[in-house]
Amino acid sequence: MLRRLSESVRRFMYGRYGSDNFNLFLLGGAVCLSLLNNLLSVFFRRRAFYSLGIWPALSLLVYAMLGFAIFRLLSRNIYRRQRENRAFKNFWARLTDRKNRYFRCPSCRQTMRVPRHRGKIKIRCPKCGTQFTRKT
């Protein structure tokens, strides 16, 4: 019986995207926000803050994150889900990069990476050649 069930789940998931880093982030964020929502509702149940509508909005955000994670998990558009995951990984790498700062060229909008803690430096865009000064 268990073998038949696992075979049917395997057949159902064939051709679907599955899980990746972005899905794990969405699920972890939804769990954290759900716990925060429960704590806030316990602490502020009888106070005026509870009537402001913050907690129902937080619940809605949790359900939206879970729904989007399930949608991505079962999606058959693998190329688009890979693109979303790649964009998330790039964003996360830039967010956690402590050695570099990122700037955009004022003329062509090219993103450039420069080392941190160098003071005021002149940055030359490799794409268009524009020079500008920024503090790192």
Side-chain angles (χ1 to χ4, degrees):
M1 166 119 167
L2 194 58
R3 179 176 272 175
R4 261 185 19 195
L5 180 66
S6 68
E7 184 62 33
S8 64
V9 169
R10 190 176 298 124
R11 236 180 296 121
F12 174 74
M13 288 301 290
Y14 183 77
R16 297 183 191 273
Y17 185 64
S19 186
D20 61 3
N21 293 343
F22 189 36
N23 262 11
L24 292 177
F25 174 77
L26 286 172
L27 292 173
V31 168
C32 290
L33 285 178
S34 178
L35 290 174
L36 177 69
N37 188 19
N38 287 338
L39 285 174
L40 289 176
S41 66
V42 166
F43 286 129
F44 297 115
R45 183 171 301 275
R46 295 197 178 132
R47 302 205 177 148
F49 296 117
Y50 191 71
S51 63
L52 291 176
I54 296 170
W55 292 274
L58 203 54
S59 295
L60 187 63
L61 180 63
V62 167
Y63 290 130
M65 289 173 73
L66 287 174
F68 188 56
I70 291 171
F71 166 75
R72 291 187 79 250
L73 182 82
L74 299 176
S75 174
R76 290 184 184 255
N77 192 346
I78 294 173
Y79 175 70
R80 184 169 285 169
R81 302 294 87 81
Q82 286 174 341
R83 242 180 36 196
E84 290 169 355
N85 190 43
R86 194 174 321 119
F88 170 73
K89 280 184 167 181
N90 289 339
F91 171 74
W92 192 257
R94 281 185 61 182
L95 194 65
T96 58
D97 188 7
R98 299 289 181 210
K99 295 181 180 180
N100 300 306
R101 291 266 324 251
Y102 293 85
F103 295 105
R104 285 192 175 260
C105 175
S107 59
C108 69
R109 310 301 292 166
Q110 173 75 24
T111 303
M112 289 162 286
R113 183 181 68 194
V114 295
R116 283 185 184 264
H117 308 298
R118 301 282 187 218
K120 262 190 174 178
I121 60 171
K122 274 189 182 177
I123 303 168
R124 185 185 153 279
C125 177
K127 187 175 179 183
C128 68
T130 305
Q131 287 190 352
F132 55 97
T133 306
R134 294 285 189 269
K135 183 180 174 190
T136 64

